[in-house]
Amino acid sequence: MITIEFDMDETLITILDNTGECEDVSVLIYDDYVHIRQYNEKTNRFDVITMKPEMYLKIMKAWKLPEGTYDLVMKEEL
């Protein structure tokens, strides 16, 4: 299951593990950064990865590419 919530300056995507084996994963998207976080029961804190939005888009595009090395160039919208 996936939930998507829009706030004034944030988009929050939450991916839930239907099996209950893994903690939920949250993707917090802002104009300048994307944070991917998952709660860690061992430390009682979130493990967080921070990246630029362009990096996150490249991860999403990589799902559909075959094995290899790529240089993905993001075009600015006019």
Side-chain angles (χ1 to χ4, degrees), residues 55-69:
M55 296 169 70
Y56 180 70
L57 289 172
K58 288 177 181 181
I59 290 172
M60 296 298 97
K61 290 192 178 289
W63 279 103
K64 296 183 180 183
L65 294 172
E67 182 178 6
T69 303

Side-chain angles (χ1 to χ4, degrees), residues 25-36:
V25 173
S26 297
V27 180
L28 298 100
I29 303 171
Y30 302 93
D31 288 339
D32 51 353
Y33 290 100
V34 175
H35 305 286
I36 299 174

Side-chain angles (χ1 to χ4, degrees), residues 14-73:
T14 304
I15 299 100
L16 295 94
D17 177 17
N18 295 337
T19 68
E21 294 178 46
C22 298
E23 293 289 332
D24 299 345
V25 173
S26 297
V27 180
L28 298 100
I29 303 171
Y30 302 93
D31 288 339
D32 51 353
Y33 290 100
V34 175
H35 305 286
I36 299 174
R37 71 179 185 186
Q38 185 177 42
Y39 191 73
N40 184 333
E41 288 186 3
K42 293 179 184 175
T43 62
N44 291 322
R45 302 176 90 161
F46 283 99
D47 293 328
V48 179
I49 298 171
T50 300
M51 65 187 74
K52 301 296 282 179
E54 295 82 11
M55 296 169 70
Y56 180 70
L57 289 172
K58 288 177 181 181
I59 290 172
M60 296 298 97
K61 290 192 178 289
W63 279 103
K64 296 183 180 183
L65 294 172
E67 182 178 6
T69 303
Y70 300 90
D71 185 16
L72 301 175
V73 178

